[in-house]
Amino acid sequence: MTNLRKSVADIRMSAGEYKAEARDLDAILAQFEGIEVLDPAVTLCRPDCRIEIDGRYLYSDENHLSVFGAHLFEADLKRALGRLLGERDRR
């Protein structure tokens, strides 16, 4: 069995390339109400998508943030979950 995932060093892309790849998923998600997307590209892709900060990789492979990368979005995730849980509790 062959691992088809790219290595972290091979996933460099520009913000424009990322937007082109994300377009289909964005169109699908736009059809649903109540979905909140936490897109790391908003933070990481200016103008090119960063794959490391201070020598530490942000991704474990081409589609998944590393633990270090995920920690960069901890506050954003807590806010999003707080909103979602608050809405659920009000029902």
Side-chain angles (χ1 to χ4, degrees), residues 51-59 65-73:
I51 61 167
E52 64 179 286
I53 293 176
D54 296 331
R56 297 183 71 184
Y57 283 125
L58 302 172
Y59 294 89
L65 289 168
S66 66
V67 172
F68 173 72
H71 278 288
L72 296 175
F73 299 95

PDB file of all heavy atoms in Angstrom, residues 51-59 65-73:
ATOM      1  N   ILE A  51       3.892  27.183   6.218  1.00  0.00           N
ATOM      2  CA  ILE A  51       3.890  25.803   6.673  1.00  0.00           C
ATOM      3  C   ILE A  51       4.715  25.644   7.946  1.00  0.00           C
ATOM      4  O   ILE A  51       4.679  24.604   8.575  1.00  0.00           O
ATOM      5  CB  ILE A  51       4.399  24.830   5.591  1.00  0.00           C
ATOM      6  CG1 ILE A  51       5.834  25.148   5.188  1.00  0.00           C
ATOM      7  CG2 ILE A  51       3.461  24.823   4.410  1.00  0.00           C
ATOM      8  CD1 ILE A  51       6.493  24.050   4.376  1.00  0.00           C
ATOM      9  N   GLU A  52       5.419  26.708   8.321  1.00  0.00           N
ATOM     10  CA  GLU A  52       6.199  26.644   9.558  1.00  0.00           C
ATOM     11  C   GLU A  52       6.353  28.036  10.152  1.00  0.00           C
ATOM     12  O   GLU A  52       6.233  29.049   9.467  1.00  0.00           O
ATOM     13  CB  GLU A  52       7.563  26.020   9.313  1.00  0.00           C
ATOM     14  CG  GLU A  52       8.454  26.827   8.394  1.00  0.00           C
ATOM     15  CD  GLU A  52       9.813  26.185   8.196  1.00  0.00           C
ATOM     16  OE1 GLU A  52      10.626  26.250   9.140  1.00  0.00           O
ATOM     17  OE2 GLU A  52      10.044  25.636   7.115  1.00  0.00           O
ATOM     18  N   ILE A  53       6.564  28.056  11.437  1.00  0.00           N
ATOM     19  CA  ILE A  53       6.869  29.293  12.166  1.00  0.00           C
ATOM     20  C   ILE A  53       8.053  28.973  13.062  1.00  0.00           C
ATOM     21  O   ILE A  53       8.014  28.005  13.837  1.00  0.00           O
ATOM     22  CB  ILE A  53       5.674  29.759  13.026  1.00  0.00           C
ATOM     23  CG1 ILE A  53       4.506  30.184  12.131  1.00  0.00           C
ATOM     24  CG2 ILE A  53       6.091  30.920  13.942  1.00  0.00           C
ATOM     25  CD1 ILE A  53       3.249  30.570  12.898  1.00  0.00           C
ATOM     26  N   ASP A  54       9.092  29.760  12.931  1.00  0.00           N
ATOM     27  CA  ASP A  54      10.305  29.559  13.733  1.00  0.00           C
ATOM     28  C   ASP A  54      10.812  28.122  13.675  1.00  0.00           C
ATOM     29  O   ASP A  54      11.208  27.538  14.683  1.00  0.00           O
ATOM     30  CB  ASP A  54      10.057  29.968  15.192  1.00  0.00           C
ATOM     31  CG  ASP A  54       9.755  31.442  15.345  1.00  0.00           C
ATOM     32  OD1 ASP A  54      10.239  32.234  14.508  1.00  0.00           O
ATOM     33  OD2 ASP A  54       9.012  31.809  16.271  1.00  0.00           O
ATOM     34  N   GLY A  55      10.737  27.529  12.474  1.00  0.00           N
ATOM     35  CA  GLY A  55      11.252  26.177  12.288  1.00  0.00           C
ATOM     36  C   GLY A  55      10.333  25.070  12.759  1.00  0.00           C
ATOM     37  O   GLY A  55      10.691  23.900  12.679  1.00  0.00           O
ATOM     38  N   ARG A  56       9.156  25.410  13.246  1.00  0.00           N
ATOM     39  CA  ARG A  56       8.199  24.392  13.715  1.00  0.00           C
ATOM     40  C   ARG A  56       7.078  24.264  12.686  1.00  0.00           C
ATOM     41  O   ARG A  56       6.452  25.251  12.317  1.00  0.00           O
ATOM     42  CB  ARG A  56       7.627  24.789  15.074  1.00  0.00           C
ATOM     43  CG  ARG A  56       8.725  24.856  16.131  1.00  0.00           C
ATOM     44  CD  ARG A  56       8.188  25.159  17.481  1.00  0.00           C
ATOM     45  NE  ARG A  56       7.455  23.983  17.980  1.00  0.00           N
ATOM     46  CZ  ARG A  56       6.793  23.984  19.119  1.00  0.00           C
ATOM     47  NH1 ARG A  56       6.768  25.068  19.876  1.00  0.00           N
ATOM     48  NH2 ARG A  56       6.149  22.916  19.516  1.00  0.00           N
ATOM     49  N   TYR A  57       6.849  23.040  12.238  1.00  0.00           N
ATOM     50  CA  TYR A  57       5.818  22.802  11.232  1.00  0.00           C
ATOM     51  C   TYR A  57       4.422  23.051  11.782  1.00  0.00           C
ATOM     52  O   TYR A  57       4.102  22.688  12.912  1.00  0.00           O
ATOM     53  CB  TYR A  57       5.896  21.375  10.698  1.00  0.00           C
ATOM     54  CG  TYR A  57       7.021  21.156   9.718  1.00  0.00           C
ATOM     55  CD1 TYR A  57       7.962  20.165   9.930  1.00  0.00           C
ATOM     56  CD2 TYR A  57       7.128  21.943   8.577  1.00  0.00           C
ATOM     57  CE1 TYR A  57       8.993  19.963   9.027  1.00  0.00           C
ATOM     58  CE2 TYR A  57       8.159  21.739   7.675  1.00  0.00           C
ATOM     59  CZ  TYR A  57       9.082  20.759   7.902  1.00  0.00           C
ATOM     60  OH  TYR A  57      10.098  20.567   7.009  1.00  0.00           O
ATOM     61  N   LEU A  58       3.585  23.666  10.945  1.00  0.00           N
ATOM     62  CA  LEU A  58       2.191  23.932  11.299  1.00  0.00           C
ATOM     63  C   LEU A  58       1.279  22.780  10.902  1.00  0.00           C
ATOM     64  O   LEU A  58       0.153  22.682  11.379  1.00  0.00           O
ATOM     65  CB  LEU A  58       1.710  25.210  10.614  1.00  0.00           C
ATOM     66  CG  LEU A  58       2.521  26.459  10.951  1.00  0.00           C
ATOM     67  CD1 LEU A  58       2.085  27.620  10.084  1.00  0.00           C
ATOM     68  CD2 LEU A  58       2.352  26.792  12.417  1.00  0.00           C
ATOM     69  N   TYR A  59       1.756  21.920  10.033  1.00  0.00           N
ATOM     70  CA  TYR A  59       0.960  20.798   9.529  1.00  0.00           C
ATOM     71  C   TYR A  59       1.677  19.479   9.786  1.00  0.00           C
ATOM     72  O   TYR A  59       2.900  19.412   9.751  1.00  0.00           O
ATOM     73  CB  TYR A  59       0.729  20.940   8.021  1.00  0.00           C
ATOM     74  CG  TYR A  59      -0.124  22.121   7.669  1.00  0.00           C
ATOM     75  CD1 TYR A  59       0.444  23.367   7.436  1.00  0.00           C
ATOM     76  CD2 TYR A  59      -1.511  22.003   7.602  1.00  0.00           C
ATOM     77  CE1 TYR A  59      -0.346  24.467   7.126  1.00  0.00           C
ATOM     78  CE2 TYR A  59      -2.301  23.102   7.296  1.00  0.00           C
ATOM     79  CZ  TYR A  59      -1.710  24.326   7.061  1.00  0.00           C
ATOM     80  OH  TYR A  59      -2.492  25.405   6.763  1.00  0.00           O
ATOM     81  N   LEU A  65      -3.478  20.029  10.609  1.00  0.00           N
ATOM     82  CA  LEU A  65      -2.578  20.842  11.420  1.00  0.00           C
ATOM     83  C   LEU A  65      -1.830  19.954  12.401  1.00  0.00           C
ATOM     84  O   LEU A  65      -2.372  18.969  12.914  1.00  0.00           O
ATOM     85  CB  LEU A  65      -3.374  21.889  12.211  1.00  0.00           C
ATOM     86  CG  LEU A  65      -3.967  23.039  11.401  1.00  0.00           C
ATOM     87  CD1 LEU A  65      -4.945  23.823  12.242  1.00  0.00           C
ATOM     88  CD2 LEU A  65      -2.876  23.934  10.863  1.00  0.00           C
ATOM     89  N   SER A  66      -0.604  20.317  12.684  1.00  0.00           N
ATOM     90  CA  SER A  66       0.158  19.647  13.739  1.00  0.00           C
ATOM     91  C   SER A  66      -0.389  20.121  15.086  1.00  0.00           C
ATOM     92  O   SER A  66      -1.209  21.048  15.149  1.00  0.00           O
ATOM     93  CB  SER A  66       1.638  20.027  13.620  1.00  0.00           C
ATOM     94  OG  SER A  66       1.796  21.426  13.891  1.00  0.00           O
ATOM     95  N   VAL A  67       0.071  19.516  16.151  1.00  0.00           N
ATOM     96  CA  VAL A  67      -0.343  19.966  17.480  1.00  0.00           C
ATOM     97  C   VAL A  67       0.056  21.430  17.656  1.00  0.00           C
ATOM     98  O   VAL A  67      -0.743  22.255  18.116  1.00  0.00           O
ATOM     99  CB  VAL A  67       0.271  19.073  18.589  1.00  0.00           C
ATOM    100  CG1 VAL A  67      -0.004  19.649  19.962  1.00  0.00           C
ATOM    101  CG2 VAL A  67      -0.273  17.649  18.477  1.00  0.00           C
ATOM    102  N   PHE A  68       1.273  21.771  17.258  1.00  0.00           N
ATOM    103  CA  PHE A  68       1.729  23.164  17.346  1.00  0.00           C
ATOM    104  C   PHE A  68       0.826  24.075  16.525  1.00  0.00           C
ATOM    105  O   PHE A  68       0.402  25.135  16.989  1.00  0.00           O
ATOM    106  CB  PHE A  68       3.181  23.272  16.861  1.00  0.00           C
ATOM    107  CG  PHE A  68       3.685  24.674  16.754  1.00  0.00           C
ATOM    108  CD1 PHE A  68       3.958  25.414  17.888  1.00  0.00           C
ATOM    109  CD2 PHE A  68       3.887  25.262  15.507  1.00  0.00           C
ATOM    110  CE1 PHE A  68       4.421  26.732  17.788  1.00  0.00           C
ATOM    111  CE2 PHE A  68       4.348  26.558  15.401  1.00  0.00           C
ATOM    112  CZ  PHE A  68       4.622  27.298  16.545  1.00  0.00           C
ATOM    113  N   GLY A  69       0.513  23.674  15.284  1.00  0.00           N
ATOM    114  CA  GLY A  69      -0.352  24.479  14.427  1.00  0.00           C
ATOM    115  C   GLY A  69      -1.748  24.634  14.995  1.00  0.00           C
ATOM    116  O   GLY A  69      -2.345  25.713  14.944  1.00  0.00           O
ATOM    117  N   ALA A  70      -2.287  23.563  15.553  1.00  0.00           N
ATOM    118  CA  ALA A  70      -3.632  23.611  16.129  1.00  0.00           C
ATOM    119  C   ALA A  70      -3.695  24.557  17.320  1.00  0.00           C
ATOM    120  O   ALA A  70      -4.695  25.251  17.516  1.00  0.00           O
ATOM    121  CB  ALA A  70      -4.072  22.209  16.530  1.00  0.00           C
ATOM    122  N   HIS A  71      -2.625  24.593  18.107  1.00  0.00           N
ATOM    123  CA  HIS A  71      -2.611  25.489  19.270  1.00  0.00           C
ATOM    124  C   HIS A  71      -2.715  26.959  18.871  1.00  0.00           C
ATOM    125  O   HIS A  71      -3.189  27.775  19.654  1.00  0.00           O
ATOM    126  CB  HIS A  71      -1.365  25.254  20.134  1.00  0.00           C
ATOM    127  CG  HIS A  71      -1.511  24.100  21.055  1.00  0.00           C
ATOM    128  ND1 HIS A  71      -2.325  24.122  22.160  1.00  0.00           N
ATOM    129  CD2 HIS A  71      -0.961  22.860  21.019  1.00  0.00           C
ATOM    130  CE1 HIS A  71      -2.265  22.964  22.773  1.00  0.00           C
ATOM    131  NE2 HIS A  71      -1.448  22.175  22.095  1.00  0.00           N
ATOM    132  N   LEU A  72      -2.321  27.298  17.658  1.00  0.00           N
ATOM    133  CA  LEU A  72      -2.447  28.683  17.197  1.00  0.00           C
ATOM    134  C   LEU A  72      -3.912  29.113  17.095  1.00  0.00           C
ATOM    135  O   LEU A  72      -4.218  30.300  17.120  1.00  0.00           O
ATOM    136  CB  LEU A  72      -1.780  28.856  15.833  1.00  0.00           C
ATOM    137  CG  LEU A  72      -0.275  28.640  15.776  1.00  0.00           C
ATOM    138  CD1 LEU A  72       0.206  28.717  14.337  1.00  0.00           C
ATOM    139  CD2 LEU A  72       0.447  29.646  16.644  1.00  0.00           C
ATOM    140  N   PHE A  73      -4.806  28.143  16.985  1.00  0.00           N
ATOM    141  CA  PHE A  73      -6.229  28.432  16.792  1.00  0.00           C
ATOM    142  C   PHE A  73      -7.067  28.078  18.025  1.00  0.00           C
ATOM    143  O   PHE A  73      -8.291  28.052  17.960  1.00  0.00           O
ATOM    144  CB  PHE A  73      -6.744  27.689  15.559  1.00  0.00           C
ATOM    145  CG  PHE A  73      -6.015  28.121  14.325  1.00  0.00           C
ATOM    146  CD1 PHE A  73      -4.932  27.408  13.861  1.00  0.00           C
ATOM    147  CD2 PHE A  73      -6.381  29.282  13.673  1.00  0.00           C
ATOM    148  CE1 PHE A  73      -4.222  27.828  12.751  1.00  0.00           C
ATOM    149  CE2 PHE A  73      -5.681  29.722  12.564  1.00  0.00           C
ATOM    150  CZ  PHE A  73      -4.606  28.996  12.105  1.00  0.00           C
TER     151      PHE A  73
END
